[in-house]
């Protein structure tokens, strides 16, 4: 697809639609890539819209002139989804950062898309409510717009689901400039096609979210957490279905191995709190009554012990709890710290097949002589595997990366999984996604895109 380049005249006209103070052709380097820098490209112009009306005016303008439009939230994505790979207009949503309404009776929070997840948590600190999807604890930049566009999930996904489960309504501007309200404060809806759910996870390719109605939950007065060490990863992972069968749904089940905690020790310059175990499950449980939550945790601990678990490490003080969950949040930076460059693979498989996936990752590591440290929300069947460049040359690295990704995605297909559980396809994974789903399915997806965006101006070069 050939696009027009934004001209000086276009910039003047875009200023007239917005404000000279919020349109710039001086492009900061940070706005040319996302967190993993898998692809970098400058937009022609950056605009910081103030409201839905401005977003609509910009899209209408761009649509008539064949100018690409890319939306950027916090830039914390991992697949280059917010990079202006074709140039064009980058909409930086940071000014649309208002929390509009807390509706206690309907348990909703209405927000603009540039509000960060951190802002939401801080706002709710003084209330009795919480917003459950919290991707990347300790990650300050991720916005709700970015979370919605990637259907982000996080540590609490096992019990409370991901972003899709927590969004009730959206205001969306389509590439034509038309504004649509999808869903609302309602808790159920059987009224025609659910386009809200289509927008969630669309990676900014179908419409721009300018307002969201989020579902809140009352805070659980009791939260308990424990670190369970095991002598093998398979033992750790295979206990999770047993815990769920016993009628216990942990709030979270985070998996990592001893190798990763060693990386963290190097990164943090501190010792990991326990030195036993080859693999760990960091689990949390919440509820209204201390005795019920304690009983759930005791059941999980006992099942773990029967499954080869070693001595558990209860996080029975605020200090221990905060420390361990902070460590969990630092595992990705700790892995990044061990290598010059890495690629992230976000495969999701049925929960019962995670062990097979992990075994296969070890086989690939051995056969290809490449480092593939893995961590993940294993209760959700979601493993994050990091392909580390280490000493590979400029020619060896892309070849190795491609080989490893192809092998891992082929295994994911065999196990009944998918390319991405929560990070999306973006720019980086689109070729693999096409291979994975097949051209017929991709043709079908493109026909959906065509309905929303016949001129293909919105976030070109992403997903397919
Ligand atoms: C250390 C670290 C930990 C992480 N942990 C997790 C995790 O646990 N779970 C998880 O799911 N992700 C995680 N991520 C990935 C990342 O935080 C998420 O993908 C997040 O949702 C991206 O939000 P963002 O605001 O930074 O969006 P960006 O990266 O800027 O953009 C992501 C996508 O959203 C689109 N977009 C942004 N705003 C809008 C809008 N208003 N309307 C339409 N489209 C829009 C962009 O065009 C792009 O396609 C982690 C990342 C890092 C660096």
């Amino acid at each position: 697809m050939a696009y027009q380049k934004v001209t000086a005249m276009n910039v003047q006209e875009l200023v007239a639609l917005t404000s000279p103070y919020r349109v710039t052709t001086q492009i900061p380097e940070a706005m040319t890539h996302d967190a993993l820098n898998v692809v970098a490209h400058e937009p022609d112009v950056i605009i910081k819209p103030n409201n839905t009306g401005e977003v609509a005016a910009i899209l209408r303008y761009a649509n008539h002139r064949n100018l690409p439009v890319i939306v950027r939230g916090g830039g914390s994505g991992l697949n280059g989804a917010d990079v202006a790979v074709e140039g064009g207009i980058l909409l930086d949503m940071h000014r649309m950062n208002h929390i509009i309404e807390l509706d206690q009776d309907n348990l909703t929070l209405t927000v603009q898309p540039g509000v960060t997840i951190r802002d939401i948590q801080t706002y709710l600190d003084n209330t009795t409510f919480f917003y459950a999807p919290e991707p990347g604890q300790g990650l300050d930049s991720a916005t709700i717009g970015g979370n919605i566009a990637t259907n982000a999930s996080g540590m609490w996904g096992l019990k409370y689901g991901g972003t899709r489960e927590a969004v009730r309504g959206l205001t969306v501007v389509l590439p034509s400039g038309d504004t649509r309200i999808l869903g609302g404060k309602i808790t159920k809806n059987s009224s025609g096609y659910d386009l809200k759910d289509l927008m969630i996870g669309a990676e900014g390719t179908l419409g721009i979210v300018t307002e969201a109605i989020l579902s809140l939950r009352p805070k659980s007065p009791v939260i308990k957490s424990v670190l369970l060490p095991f002598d093998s990863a398979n033992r750790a992972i295979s206990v999770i279905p047993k815990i769920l069968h016993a009628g216990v749904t942990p709030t979270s089940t985070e998996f990592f191995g001893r190798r990763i905690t060693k990386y963290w020790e190097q990164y943090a310059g501190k010792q990991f709190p326990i030195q036993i175990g080859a693999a760990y499950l960091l689990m949390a449980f919440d509820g209204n009554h201390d005795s019920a939550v304690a009983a759930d945790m005791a059941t999980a601990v006992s099942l773990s012990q029967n499954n080869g678990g070693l001595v558990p490490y209860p996080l029975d003080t605020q200090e221990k709890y905060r420390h361990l969950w902070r460590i969990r949040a630092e595992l990705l930076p700790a892995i990044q710290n061990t290598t010059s460059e890495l690629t992230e693979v976000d495969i999701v498989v049925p929960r019962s097949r995670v062990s097979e996936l992990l075994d296969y990752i070890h086989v690939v590591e051995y056969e290809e002589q490449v480092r593939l440290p893995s961590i993940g929300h294993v209760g959700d069947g979601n493993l994050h595997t990091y392909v580390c460049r280490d000493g590979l040359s400029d020619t060896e690295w892309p070849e190795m990366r491609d080989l490893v990704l192809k092998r891992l995605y082929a295994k994911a297909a065999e196990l009944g999984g998918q390319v991405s559980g929560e990070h999306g396809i973006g720019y980086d994974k689109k070729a693999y996604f096409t291979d994975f789903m097949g051209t017929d399915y991709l043709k079908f997806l493109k026909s959906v895109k065509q309905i929303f965006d016949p001129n293909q101006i919105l976030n070109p070069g992403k997903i397919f």
Side-chain angles (χ1 to χ4, degrees):
M1 190 91 191
Y3 294 97
Q4 296 299 318
K5 205 167 160 49
V6 177
T7 62
M9 175 62 80
N10 293 145
V11 173
Q12 270 181 29
E13 288 168 350
L14 288 163
V15 164
L17 292 176
T18 52
S19 150
Y21 303 108
R22 293 185 280 111
V23 178
T24 181
T25 52
Q26 303 296 312
I27 312 296
E29 190 274 338
M31 301 298 274
T32 65
H33 59 81
D34 69 6
L36 282 191
N37 210 347
V38 288
V39 57
H41 200 281
E42 282 195 358
D44 300 323
V45 60
I46 298 177
I47 307 180
K48 296 180 181 174
N50 259 350
N51 52 48
T52 302
E54 283 188 359
V55 173
I58 294 164
L59 277 178
R60 197 167 291 119
Y61 180 90
N63 200 30
H64 285 143
R65 290 160 184 82
N66 198 24
L67 299 171
V69 179
I70 303 89
V71 203
R72 185 177 168 100
S76 71
L78 304 169
N79 289 307
D82 66 356
V83 178
V85 291
E86 299 280 354
I89 302 168
L90 186 77
L91 296 186
D92 172 352
M93 302 306 278
H94 273 102
R95 285 182 68 94
M96 293 183 66
N97 64 350
H98 298 293
I99 293 180
I100 297 166
E101 185 201 24
L102 169 65
D103 180 339
Q104 304 207 12
D105 290 338
N106 284 306
L107 283 174
T108 59
L109 189 72
T110 304
V111 297
Q112 289 188 314
V115 171
T116 64
I117 301 302
R118 178 69 48 244
D119 293 337
I120 292 174
Q121 306 296 9
T122 306
Y123 177 84
L124 294 175
D125 269 352
N126 297 324
T127 73
T128 53
F129 307 108
F130 80 108
Y131 176 66
E134 191 188 359
Q137 283 193 324
L139 184 67
D140 289 335
S141 56
T143 64
I144 190 68
N147 276 208
I148 291 168
T150 53
N151 189 24
S153 191
M155 315 286 182
W156 317 125
L158 180 59
K159 184 164 181 182
Y160 294 116
T163 301
R164 188 170 276 123
E165 285 73 37
V167 173
R168 290 203 212 161
L170 292 177
T171 302
V172 175
V173 182
L174 301 178
S176 60
D178 292 345
T179 300
R180 299 273 174 229
I181 293 176
L182 311 174
K185 287 186 180 177
I186 45 181
T187 54
K188 58 198 286 193
N189 188 0
S190 180
S191 320
Y193 304 131
D194 197 337
L195 299 179
K196 163 181 73 72
D197 277 358
L198 179 59
M199 286 293 161
I200 299 169
E203 302 192 52
T205 62
L206 299 180
I208 298 182
V209 174
T210 58
E211 202 170 297
I213 302 173
L214 309 176
S215 202
L216 301 180
R217 292 171 181 277
K219 274 179 196 154
S220 301
V222 184
I223 299 178
K224 292 184 187 292
S225 191
V226 63
L227 179 69
L228 298 172
F230 292 81
D231 59 9
S232 80
N234 284 347
R235 289 212 163 132
I237 290 168
S238 62
V239 78
I240 293 168
K242 294 177 183 156
I243 293 171
L244 294 169
H245 288 171
V248 173
T249 306
T251 328
S252 46
T253 47
E254 294 300 307
F255 165 82
F256 43 89
R258 179 75 191 124
R259 164 163 66 153
I260 311 284
T261 62
K262 282 194 185 302
Y263 296 159
W264 179 82
E265 287 176 345
Q266 280 165 27
Y267 169 80
K270 295 178 192 153
Q271 210 176 44
F272 190 66
I274 60 173
Q275 295 298 314
I276 55 165
Y280 305 95
L281 286 180
L282 177 57
M283 298 187 118
F285 306 82
D286 71 343
N288 287 332
H289 302 289
D290 193 86
S291 56
V293 178
D296 278 355
M297 194 162 94
T299 303
V301 168
S302 147
L303 286 166
S304 303
Q305 304 263 267
N306 296 338
N307 210 57
L310 306 173
V311 181
Y313 180 71
L315 309 182
D316 47 12
T317 64
Q318 276 293 325
E319 198 188 348
K320 281 189 194 169
Y321 178 90
R322 285 212 190 97
H323 185 47
L324 245 301
W325 283 96
R326 165 59 54 185
I327 291 174
R328 169 61 189 89
E330 289 176 353
L331 294 182
L332 171 53
I335 295 169
Q336 280 179 294
N337 188 46
T338 64
T339 191
S340 54
E341 194 175 344
L342 54 75
T343 289
E344 203 245 14
V345 183
D346 171 43
I347 287 171
V348 60
V349 294
R351 189 182 291 134
S352 59
R353 315 292 304 263
V354 178
S355 284
E356 286 169 79
L357 176 62
L358 199 61
D359 283 346
Y360 185 73
I361 289 167
H362 292 145
V363 169
V364 175
E365 263 193 312
Y366 178 74
E367 289 180 355
E368 308 299 348
Q369 291 294 292
V370 63
R371 220 157 39 92
L372 303 174
S374 300
I375 58 178
H377 319 299
V378 285
D380 303 339
N382 191 195
L383 209 57
H384 300 327
T385 301
Y386 300 94
V387 188
C388 296
R389 175 169 176 169
D390 296 341
L392 294 174
S393 69
D394 287 351
T395 45
E396 289 166 335
W397 167 235
E399 283 169 19
M400 176 61 82
R401 183 185 180 282
D402 185 50
L403 175 72
V404 170
L405 263 59
K406 281 186 173 139
R407 289 192 67 176
L408 296 188
Y409 290 133
K411 190 67 183 178
E414 184 193 317
L415 296 175
Q418 272 292 349
V419 171
S420 173
E422 57 181 27
H423 295 160
I425 305 300
Y427 176 84
D428 195 39
K429 304 292 162 26
K430 60 182 184 169
Y432 304 97
F433 181 59
T434 303
D435 284 352
F436 193 96
M437 301 306 293
T439 45
D440 190 46
Y441 183 80
L442 264 287
K443 210 170 132 194
F444 180 53
L445 282 194
K446 284 177 187 173
S447 68
V448 175
K449 164 86 171 165
Q450 187 68 20
I451 295 169
F452 285 83
D453 187 12
N455 297 327
Q456 313 280 313
I457 61 153
L458 206 48
N459 210 1
K462 310 298 161 56
I463 303 184
F464 35 66

